[in-house]
Amino acid sequence: MRSSSSKHGAAENNRGVTGHMLTLHQRLYHAFNLGFRSCNNRRKWNCSDIEIQRLVIRSIDAFLDCISTETSQHPLVKDSVEDMVGALESILEFKSESTMGVASSVAVKMVNSLPSLMLQSHVLDLLHPLASLLSTRELQVAISCASALNTVLSNISTKIEREVWQILKETKAVGCLVHNVKEFSVGNKPIEYLKEMASLLSKILWRWPQSRFCVWTDAKLLNVLDTLQLERENSTKVAVLQLYSTLALCGYGAEKLLENGEALLRMMVDCMDCANNHSIRMEGFRLAQCLAINKRGCLKMIKICGEPLVKAIISGMRDCNSHSEKLAKNQMSIVEEACRLALITRWAGDHHIYFWKAGVDRVLLDLLLGNYDKIHQLQQKLSVKEQIVVVREGLNTNFSLSLRPYAWDILGWIATKCAEDFNYGALGNEYHLKILIMCACLAFVDSILMARQISQSSPTNTAVSESASRAVLMMIFWKQVRDSSERSCCCSATEDWEGEDMFLLFSLWSLAELLHHSDPIKNHLLDNQTNFNEAQLVSELQKICRHCSNAGPRWYAVYILCVFGHYGFPSRMGDRIGKALTENEYTDLELNLVNGESIYVHGVLLMVRCPSLLPPGELLVKEKASSGSSVKQDAENRMITAVRLSARVDHQSMLKLLEYVYFGYIQASEDLVKKLKLFAKHCGLHHLLQMLCRRHPKWGTLMPSFDLTPALRPGGHHFSDILLESNTRQLENWMCDSCSASVPHLHVHKVILESSCDYLQALFRSGMQESHLQTIKVPVSWESLVKLVTWFYSDQLPEPSFGCLWDNLDADEKLLEVQLYIELCWLAEFWFIEDLREECYRVSVSYCLDSSRYLSVKIIQTAAIFTQWKLAEVAANHMAPLYHSLRNSGELDALDDNLIEMVRSASVRLSQEGSRLPS
């Protein structure tokens, strides 16, 4: 039995292996043996004899021809892969004109014949010679190398992306490909040349964002692409569209394409037309999606070609309108790309009316119900119950389930983002909209009743259920859902309204509706029988307002606070500035009420937060009194502008309004709220008025920020009482708009500076000589000073360069950016500004963890100079794996002994931790 089993196993292993294949394998290794050499106890193929190279190439070619799907996993093949790759690598690196052509062609055959998993461990060996030959003048060799690289890069593992990118950088592959595309029109090169070069460049741009900067900044390349747009040949159009799409993945690249993008957008929309083949249509839709990754790009695209674009989207979505229960694969892919592009409805704009005009309601019904007969039946005189039966029957079919989440999202957005005065009925859409709402409500009810069963069934059903629920909620509460591309770069995240914690948002949303519309529920939630009282809830909601970075949760926290008489927008900046309201330090305005009472305030804060309270002309002229005001000096010889207020302004209301100006939020009784509504409306405080009226937040609305940076502009210099200078004594083309001082400086305000810095407060109020200085010299660079003052005035530290801009800075330019934050970290520690220190430390650490060898050495040096030892430890830990290499190369010689020992100790700890890991 054992012998029979063994024979059976051998027969299975040799299935498909013929005598001819065995003979070719023997000939292959006979040829290999002519060039095997021993190198570092490893067998390596290397031979400069051209005839032997040709023999090896022919042998590899013949052996690859006999490999089938059945035999590709045979040990005979698996064991030969390393030697075939090694021989081809050596021959290609030799770069002989006699063998380059056939060797590169065989490389193409090999990467297409062998399973990608089998080649994974040998990819890096093959990449270098192939990428090096992209610059060759031999067209067929360049085409073959690009073709082979296209296949290889399509299948590489994410684990080796870093190593692959390093090879592409060393061989200057991106620069070669850009040059090849630009030179396509010179010398009558074949279309295949452009196709392979552009396709490979697109793959690299898509996978490695750091490669994009040098491409979208190449004006000549963009001009060439503009010319290639006019080509009628299909493969050329596809290649050009793919290149445009990958360039648009960079936010800056997309802006560049849209600067003069009329011709590009016309071509893009034309490519979406159903008269084109499948590939061209797909790439047209994908380019539009990339250009619409952010709101700014989307609205610019809509402005240029809004209606034609929407018509093309609807046409693509109409491909689903088929009597068959199943769409063809190509048809389905077009519909899906069109649906993805239709998600531009998440932003308000003119395109919404275009969607309604183009018949989006009917297309959505096709996506949801799938059968024209059912929709036609709904248009008959049916009762509501009969309509529900027909709709439920359609929803219960399995038609295009993967498309339904798109349909629900699009439905929610078009129902909520269209202009408030838009009349659905005028376009004959009212009946279709009614049926769509019925579809969404039925799916919503089902999702609630069967939540447990759905979550335990297929993921598709779960997605459909969630999106249907979202559509209903969007129509009720103006909901918006974000969409982003993981491969995009240089795109700001400011549009992320909901944030990552959707449970927090939905919880606040639900609680807001319960509390605003049901007093019994409110009383029950906060009665003495619960463990959570009103004060605790208010405190938690205020924490969300201060510390959550996304607008959605903060808006709903603010909305809930209105229930308890708290109105406005709590923030860390407001908490700091608010303390100045009860102090008379640095005040320059006296508000006089008719009852003889006076309130002293700071003109700079009114200028930014509530300019209507300033007397006319106060923004421009300080010395002259304007109508209704006068100027006097206080005991400290400060100029005080006295302003007479209207008789309708009472002391309590004015104090409460000023409390909002200084803190950003207030607590007020119902009686006081009535008065404050009038003042808020008169003063143009629209956000305060919205909260006082308890209006529901509109989804996607930006959160009002407590931003005082407008006071740094020339208009704010009027109220400045001190100058800040850096240790930079000269700046090219620097000039002050408000004074004649030649040293670079900033006009700032003591009331704002000391609210965030106890050190400066002590300095200004000490009564010593320093407290009377008109200029403070800050011991940092000009660039650091600008970032510091921006933080003082906004509680926001300006972000460093990111995305492909950062990746394309040279090492010294990166070091300059890093030094600014390390320098600020030191100053914040010296001035006891803990919040700023933590933020600067966070940014500096992110630089440490993404730095090169050279930059790591420079960062640890800079951290030591500024005595930032915690940061130096982080840098040392990052350098630990490279310690021996850095020491042997002499790169550590620039460090003092203490820093070298810090890196060595980190390396020892790393080795010890590695030795303790289980084997």
Side-chain angles (χ1 to χ4, degrees):
M1 286 294 290
R2 188 174 298 169
S3 175
S4 173
S5 174
S6 177
K7 288 179 181 179
H8 178 72
E12 284 294 313
N13 287 336
N14 289 316
R15 177 178 293 179
V17 177
T18 63
H20 178 62
M21 185 174 182
L22 292 172
T23 300
L24 291 174
H25 184 263
Q26 290 173 354
R27 291 177 182 172
L28 176 66
Y29 272 86
H30 174 74
F32 281 162
N33 288 332
L34 298 174
F36 277 136
R37 303 286 185 269
S38 178
C39 180
N40 297 326
N41 296 321
R42 181 172 176 263
R43 189 174 69 172
K44 183 174 177 62
W45 199 93
N46 191 357
C47 181
S48 59
D49 189 296
I50 298 301
E51 292 306 318
I52 293 177
Q53 289 184 7
R54 285 174 173 164
L55 175 62
V56 168
I57 292 169
R58 289 197 300 271
S59 300
I60 295 174
D61 189 35
F63 185 65
L64 290 173
D65 280 338
C66 72
I67 296 175
S68 63
T69 304
E70 194 175 32
T71 59
S72 62
Q73 298 296 332
H74 192 277
L76 197 71
V77 176
K78 289 182 178 180
D79 296 342
S80 305
V81 172
E82 182 177 1
D83 292 327
M84 288 192 290
V85 170
L88 277 178
E89 176 191 6
S90 177
I91 293 169
L92 289 169
E93 286 179 341
F94 196 69
K95 295 185 179 179
S96 168
E97 292 183 3
S98 303
T99 56
M100 277 196 306
V102 286
S104 58
S105 296
V106 170
V108 174
K109 180 182 287 187
M110 183 169 67
V111 298
N112 285 291
S113 301
L114 298 177
S116 58
L117 286 176
M118 193 179 292
L119 282 171
Q120 279 297 317
S121 57
H122 310 290
V123 162
L124 298 179
D125 298 324
L126 202 55
L127 272 175
H128 202 286
L130 289 173
S132 298
L133 288 171
L134 290 172
S135 58
T136 182
R137 295 182 179 180
E138 296 291 331
L139 292 186
Q140 196 52 54
V141 173
I143 291 171
S144 296
C145 289
S147 177
L149 286 169
N150 263 313
T151 303
V152 170
L153 295 187
S154 296
N155 298 297
I156 63 166
S157 166
T158 54
K159 295 179 181 178
I160 60 171
E161 277 189 349
R162 185 184 291 270
E163 290 88 344
V164 172
W165 172 242
Q166 193 58 39
I167 292 173
L168 294 174
K169 278 174 58 179
E170 290 172 3
T171 57
K172 300 181 179 178
V174 174
C176 289
L177 291 168
V178 169
H179 174 79
N180 292 348
V181 173
K182 289 192 291 189
E183 296 298 311
F184 166 68
S185 58
V186 180
N188 297 320
K189 296 180 178 66
I191 289 294
E192 186 184 7
Y193 182 84
L194 174 67
K195 176 185 172 184
E196 294 296 344
M197 297 300 164
S199 178
L200 178 56
L201 181 55
S202 297
K203 280 187 174 64
I204 294 173
L205 295 174
W206 181 82
R207 197 145 196 166
W208 290 280
Q210 58 267 46
S211 65
R212 296 169 189 161
F213 177 82
C214 64
V215 182
W216 66 258
T217 53
D218 192 315
K220 185 177 178 182
L221 174 68
L222 297 183
N223 290 336
V224 169
L225 292 181
D226 288 343
T227 303
L228 291 173
Q229 290 178 28
L230 306 175
E231 292 284 339
R232 294 180 178 273
E233 211 281 325
N234 286 342
S235 57
T236 302
K237 280 187 178 180
V238 170
V240 172
L241 287 166
Q242 287 176 341
L243 257 182
Y244 277 132
S245 294
T246 48
L247 290 177
L249 285 173
C250 172
Y252 298 116
E255 286 185 20
K256 186 74 173 177
L257 294 179
L258 289 171
E259 278 180 6
N260 298 293
E262 290 83 359
L264 168 62
L265 295 180
R266 281 198 302 271
M267 183 271 288
M268 177 190 76
V269 173
D270 289 342
C271 288
M272 298 177 191
D273 190 87
C274 58
N276 294 300
N277 68 28
H278 175 261
S279 298
I280 291 178
R281 295 186 73 193
M282 290 288 285
E283 296 305 330
F285 281 113
R286 286 170 179 165
L287 172 56
Q289 291 167 23
C290 293
L291 290 171
I293 284 177
N294 58 54
K295 182 177 181 180
R296 184 176 176 181
C298 173
L299 295 184
K300 191 164 186 178
M301 190 165 60
I302 294 300
K303 184 178 180 180
I304 296 173
C305 63
E307 193 158 12
L309 175 64
V310 171
K311 286 181 179 178
I313 295 171
I314 295 297
S315 177
M317 293 171 68
R318 279 204 176 103
D319 280 8
C320 71
N321 191 357
S322 170
H323 291 282
S324 63
E325 289 296 317
K326 218 169 186 180
L327 293 176
K329 185 176 180 181
N330 280 357
Q331 197 178 10
M332 175 66 83
S333 61
I334 290 291
V335 176
E336 187 165 357
E337 295 301 329
C339 287
R340 281 193 184 129
L341 184 52
L343 296 178
I344 61 174
T345 49
R346 64 187 177 274
W347 289 304
D350 294 339
H351 53 299
H352 279 266
I353 185 66
Y354 301 148
F355 271 99
W356 284 109
K357 286 181 178 179
V360 67
D361 49 332
R362 178 55 184 270
V363 174
L364 291 176
L365 283 175
D366 288 337
L367 285 172
L368 294 170
L369 303 181
N371 190 301
Y372 178 82
D373 294 333
K374 289 189 178 73
I375 299 173
H376 181 72
Q377 187 178 355
L378 286 170
Q379 292 176 333
Q380 308 303 315
K381 297 281 187 180
L382 297 179
S383 66
V384 174
K385 286 187 178 181
E386 290 171 328
Q387 289 175 3
I388 289 175
V389 170
V390 175
V391 169
R392 189 176 290 282
E393 180 185 346
L395 291 174
N396 288 339
T397 64
N398 291 323
F399 177 80
S400 303
L401 284 180
S402 62
L403 298 175
R404 287 190 182 177
Y406 296 111
W408 295 130
D409 285 343
I410 296 165
L411 172 60
W413 282 319
I414 62 171
T416 60
K417 289 292 183 179
C418 210
E420 293 182 4
D421 58 351
F422 175 62
N423 185 357
Y424 303 101
L427 296 173
N429 303 93
E430 195 168 357
Y431 187 76
H432 289 161
L433 181 59
K434 176 183 175 182
I435 300 303
L436 284 170
I437 293 173
M438 187 181 293
C439 290
C441 290
L442 287 174
F444 181 45
V445 171
D446 289 345
S447 71
I448 294 174
L449 296 177
M450 299 187 294
R452 185 182 299 274
Q453 293 90 329
I454 289 175
S455 64
Q456 294 173 350
S457 63
S458 70
T460 301
N461 284 341
T462 303
V464 170
S465 169
E466 290 176 354
S467 55
S469 304
R470 188 165 59 241
V472 174
L473 294 173
M474 286 164 76
M475 287 186 282
I476 297 173
F477 300 120
W478 302 338
K479 173 80 174 77
Q480 178 190 34
V481 179
R482 73 183 165 94
D483 173 58
S484 60
S485 170
E486 293 182 355
R487 289 287 175 178
S488 64
C489 71
C490 305
C491 296
S492 173
T494 55
E495 296 165 6
D496 189 2
W497 201 79
E498 298 90 335
E500 295 297 326
D501 194 347
M502 294 297 290
F503 286 112
L504 172 63
L505 176 62
F506 289 144
S507 298
L508 291 170
W509 185 359
S510 303
L511 181 59
E513 298 309 316
L514 289 172
L515 293 176
H516 271 275
H517 298 104
S518 178
D519 287 335
I521 292 178
K522 172 186 172 183
N523 295 333
H524 174 72
L525 286 173
L526 302 173
D527 64 18
N528 294 328
Q529 298 176 8
T530 63
N531 296 322
F532 209 74
N533 59 37
E534 179 177 326
Q536 289 174 306
L537 178 57
V538 167
S539 176
E540 290 299 317
L541 292 169
Q542 289 177 342
K543 285 180 184 177
I544 292 171
C545 294
R546 292 182 177 98
H547 302 293
C548 183
S549 59
N550 301 102
R554 291 167 64 199
W555 262 118
Y556 276 100
V558 164
Y559 185 48
I560 296 171
L561 284 169
C562 295
V563 175
F564 305 106
H566 294 260
Y567 303 92
F569 310 90
S571 67
R572 291 178 300 185
M573 187 71 184
D575 292 343
R576 296 201 296 257
I577 293 294
K579 294 179 292 185
L581 179 61
T582 56
E583 302 174 354
N584 285 333
E585 293 289 337
Y586 321 119
T587 56
D588 51 8
L589 279 178
E590 179 185 1
L591 304 180
N592 296 322
L593 290 94
V594 292
N595 64 359
E597 293 181 287
S598 298
I599 305 173
Y600 289 88
V601 293
H602 304 83
V604 62
L605 296 178
L606 296 191
M607 184 202 81
V608 178
R609 301 279 296 158
C610 189
S612 61
L613 286 179
L614 289 175
E618 183 64 20
L619 293 178
L620 300 176
V621 183
K622 186 172 182 178
E623 290 78 10
K624 296 180 182 179
S626 56
S627 177
S629 66
S630 60
V631 177
K632 63 181 182 179
Q633 287 184 321
D634 67 0
E636 298 178 8
N637 295 321
R638 290 180 302 182
M639 300 294 292
I640 302 291
T641 301
V643 181
R644 295 187 300 274
L645 298 179
S646 166
R648 290 175 293 180
V649 179
D650 65 279
H651 186 266
Q652 184 188 24
S653 299
M654 176 51 64
L655 272 182
K656 193 57 69 173
L657 194 68
L658 289 171
E659 187 178 332
Y660 173 78
V661 169
Y662 277 70
F663 284 92
Y665 67 96
I666 56 174
Q667 185 175 6
S669 64
E670 287 297 327
D671 291 339
L672 188 54
V673 164
K674 294 177 182 178
K675 297 179 183 178
L676 288 175
K677 286 180 183 179
L678 295 174
F679 286 127
K681 185 175 182 179
H682 176 76
C683 293
L685 300 174
H686 304 297
H687 289 113
L688 174 60
L689 181 61
Q690 178 183 350
M691 292 298 99
L692 292 171
C693 296
R694 298 188 181 184
R695 294 176 190 153
H696 198 287
K698 187 171 183 179
W699 213 274
T701 305
L702 293 178
M703 193 75 178
S705 62
F706 203 117
D707 182 12
L708 300 178
T709 54
L712 296 172
R713 300 169 192 158
H717 296 178
H718 169 78
F719 299 100
S720 173
D721 50 6
I722 195 165
L723 303 182
L724 293 185
E725 292 181 0
S726 69
N727 55 23
T728 304
R729 308 310 295 169
Q730 287 186 331
L731 285 175
E732 188 175 354
N733 298 324
W734 189 89
M735 183 180 294
C736 182
D737 295 326
S738 303
C739 71
S740 59
S742 60
V743 177
H745 60 269
L746 292 170
H747 290 262
V748 291
H749 313 83
K750 290 181 179 180
V751 63
I752 297 175
L753 297 185
E754 73 167 38
S755 68
S756 300
C757 181
D758 292 341
Y759 173 87
L760 290 178
Q761 184 183 73
L763 179 69
F764 295 151
R765 301 189 186 188
S766 65
M768 296 186 293
Q769 182 179 355
E770 290 84 353
S771 65
H772 301 293
L773 293 175
Q774 296 300 306
T775 302
I776 298 291
K777 299 185 185 299
V778 185
V780 294
S781 67
W782 173 256
E783 293 81 5
S784 293
L785 178 62
V786 170
K787 291 182 186 294
L788 171 68
V789 172
T790 301
W791 182 85
F792 275 138
Y793 280 69
S794 67
D795 194 41
Q796 298 293 320
L797 184 66
E799 286 294 322
S801 300
F802 67 101
C804 65
L805 288 185
W806 167 258
D807 293 324
N808 284 274
L809 295 177
D810 63 34
D812 289 327
E813 289 172 327
K814 290 180 178 179
L815 179 61
L816 285 175
E817 289 229 22
V818 179
Q819 286 176 334
L820 299 180
Y821 294 93
I822 299 176
E823 186 178 41
L824 275 180
C825 202
W826 163 78
L827 182 70
E829 187 174 63
F830 179 54
W831 279 6
F832 307 105
I833 314 174
E834 186 58 26
D835 289 346
L836 177 62
R837 192 201 67 79
E838 289 179 1
E839 187 67 10
C840 292
Y841 176 76
R842 179 191 64 78
V843 175
S844 301
V845 166
S846 70
Y847 275 126
C848 285
L849 300 180
D850 188 32
S851 58
S852 62
R853 292 164 61 124
Y854 170 81
L855 199 56
S856 296
V857 173
K858 293 297 183 181
I859 287 176
I860 198 171
Q861 271 187 308
T862 305
I865 290 171
F866 287 101
T867 64
Q868 298 302 297
W869 300 113
K870 186 178 177 182
L871 181 60
E873 283 288 349
V874 173
N877 291 333
H878 180 65
M879 297 165 66
L882 303 171
Y883 169 69
H884 296 289
S885 174
L886 290 168
R887 183 191 62 187
N888 296 335
S889 67
E891 291 173 80
L892 293 181
D893 294 348
L895 304 181
D896 63 33
D897 292 342
N898 291 334
L899 293 179
I900 294 174
E901 176 59 24
M902 187 181 291
V903 180
R904 189 198 68 80
S905 299
S907 176
V908 171
R909 288 195 301 272
L910 182 66
S911 300
Q912 292 172 341
E913 290 168 3
S915 64
R916 288 196 293 267
L917 292 175
S919 57

